[in-house]
Amino acid sequence: MANFIRKGEWLEYHVSSTDQGKTIEEVCKTKLQLSGRMIQKLTRHRGIQINGKKSYLAYPLKKGDRLQIKIFEREDYGVEPEPIPLEVLYEDDHVLVANKPAGISVHPTEKNQRGTLAHAIAFYYQTKGLQTKVRHIHRLDKDTTGAILIAKHSLAQSILDKDLRERKISREYLAIVSGIPEPKQGTIDEPIGRDRHHPTRRRVSKTGDRAVTHYQVLETMNNEAALVKLYLDTGRTHQIRVHMSYIGHPLFGDSLYGGPLKGIQRQALHAAKLIFFHPFTKEKVEVEAPMPEDMVQLLSLIQPMATHGRVK
């Protein structure tokens, strides 16, 4: 983890020659990406130390100093831990990537709601002796599967939330759609807003928010279906489902947007790859989530009718 080491409740940063002469406050803002507000809060609670002792923000750092920030404090999970199976795709002291199954929400949206991914993560934390709030960085629809990013403390959340706003976090999706999109690679740039006639449905609307979806056909099955890779420039609710339906190729199993109701009990949509920059090392992290069994079975069901192979 380069110059960053966890020591109990503290994140320790080993000061290098490039930081020589800089103040604690400068390094906290540049290397640790602490906001001024977070620095003030930590200072009030004696959460910033140098070489194990309380110091002041204007202290000029020397090579070899150990700057310590108290960010791993014990806190409430935010939900009651529940023994729900959890597949972890990637994990370190700062982040966790889970593979969300179909049929569960990312977090509670109603009072006393149980059985969400957040409940499963809280239980996983509990088994690991970790007591911290469950902090999701982005969301997936209840019936969409795949990789989802979780921050394990408030500083990681702050950094990753900023990265998400600045589009430094990207997700690649796989979908099985009705028919064959033409052209086989393209961009859908159509605004999405609420459907006045349905409480949960969205639709393409001139008065909606801008939404941009890029797609590429990976494989075609006769004229019946295609396996499509997608990635988004924006993150509107139901964006992929709305856009693919709008161009006449709704997802299999997606009853809300007119998809064929055969071979799968949900919309055939999977977050297959998550790409982000580690909040501290800044290394590029790519995490892949294997295609779920119900989508594999759907492909095998349609596959015998295939007349075209994989699209190059």
Side-chain angles (χ1 to χ4, degrees):
M1 193 59 69
N3 291 338
F4 298 97
I5 301 171
R6 179 175 180 175
K7 294 285 186 73
E9 292 184 323
W10 300 82
L11 177 66
E12 188 171 278
Y13 174 68
H14 288 193
V15 177
S16 65
S17 56
T18 58
D19 300 316
Q20 181 94 13
K22 294 179 182 177
T23 66
I24 287 178
E25 185 170 19
E26 285 178 292
V27 171
C28 280
K29 287 182 176 178
T30 56
K31 294 293 173 69
L32 298 170
Q33 299 184 70
L34 286 160
S35 65
R37 186 176 179 182
M38 198 174 284
I39 290 171
Q40 288 179 352
K41 182 180 177 182
L42 284 164
T43 303
R44 282 198 306 270
H45 295 89
R46 299 188 176 185
I48 300 178
Q49 292 183 167
I50 194 74
N51 302 321
K53 297 177 182 178
K54 183 185 175 185
S55 189
Y56 52 97
L57 294 177
Y59 171 86
L61 291 163
K62 300 185 292 293
K63 182 182 177 182
D65 277 343
R66 292 174 293 114
L67 174 60
Q68 294 141 337
I69 312 295
K70 194 174 186 180
I71 60 172
F72 296 103
E73 294 185 280
R74 291 172 70 84
E75 56 186 353
D76 188 83
Y77 296 117
V79 293
E80 192 70 28
E82 289 185 55
I84 300 167
L86 180 73
E87 183 181 359
V88 175
L89 301 172
Y90 175 92
E91 182 181 15
D92 61 22
D93 286 333
H94 309 285
V95 296
L96 179 147
V97 179
N99 190 8
K100 189 186 91 63
I104 73 170
S105 301
V106 170
H107 60 95
T109 55
E110 300 171 5
K111 190 176 180 181
N112 300 321
Q113 184 178 345
R114 311 280 293 200
T116 72
L117 185 69
H119 291 89
I121 292 169
F123 183 80
Y124 175 78
Y125 283 170
Q126 193 176 61
T127 64
K128 297 288 184 179
L130 180 65
Q131 190 170 332
T132 188
K133 184 179 176 183
V134 179
R135 297 174 164 92
H136 63 275
I137 301 302
H138 58 97
R139 289 174 288 187
L140 294 172
D141 292 345
K142 182 177 180 180
D143 286 327
T144 298
T145 55
I148 189 160
L149 181 59
I150 309 294
K152 294 175 78 173
H153 54 77
S154 60
L155 179 54
Q157 180 184 29
S158 175
I159 295 167
L160 292 169
D161 279 346
K162 182 172 180 286
D163 284 352
L164 187 68
R165 290 194 302 271
E166 295 176 355
R167 299 179 185 175
K168 293 177 182 176
I169 298 174
S170 61
R171 287 160 283 169
E172 288 184 6
Y173 293 83
L174 291 175
I176 302 170
V177 304
S178 175
I180 315 298
E182 289 290 348
K184 290 188 170 64
Q185 186 167 340
T187 297
I188 307 164
D189 186 349
E190 296 289 347
I192 292 176
R194 290 183 177 274
D195 188 327
R196 296 191 305 273
H197 307 292
H198 195 285
T200 58
R201 193 164 52 206
R202 301 295 193 274
R203 66 184 180 92
V204 168
S205 167
K206 290 181 180 179
T207 59
D209 296 317
R210 190 181 183 208
V212 181
T213 302
H214 306 278
Y215 72 87
Q216 178 187 356
V217 174
L218 297 180
E219 194 170 339
T220 62
M221 278 67 77
N222 202 1
N223 288 318
E224 184 179 5
L227 175 65
V228 181
K229 178 171 74 175
L230 309 105
Y231 64 96
L232 313 178
D233 284 352
T234 52
R236 308 303 174 202
T237 300
H238 298 177
Q239 181 172 321
I240 288 172
R241 299 163 65 189
V242 172
H243 272 171
M244 295 311 292
S245 178
Y246 177 75
I247 65 169
H249 301 286
L251 276 59
F252 269 72
D254 194 353
S255 59
L256 192 60
Y257 295 104
L261 303 182
K262 55 188 282 189
I264 194 166
Q265 301 300 310
R266 63 175 181 98
Q267 70 261 11
L269 182 61
H270 175 63
K273 183 186 285 189
L274 175 67
I275 304 168
F276 64 98
F277 292 93
H278 193 278
F280 297 104
T281 68
K282 298 307 168 188
E283 293 174 337
K284 188 177 184 179
V285 181
E286 295 190 20
V287 183
E288 295 191 22
M291 187 183 288
E293 188 59 32
D294 60 353
M295 285 180 63
V296 172
Q297 289 177 355
L298 176 60
L299 283 175
S300 66
L301 178 71
I302 306 169
Q303 199 69 42
M305 290 180 276
T307 57
H308 303 282
R310 186 168 292 274
V311 176
K312 302 294 185 185

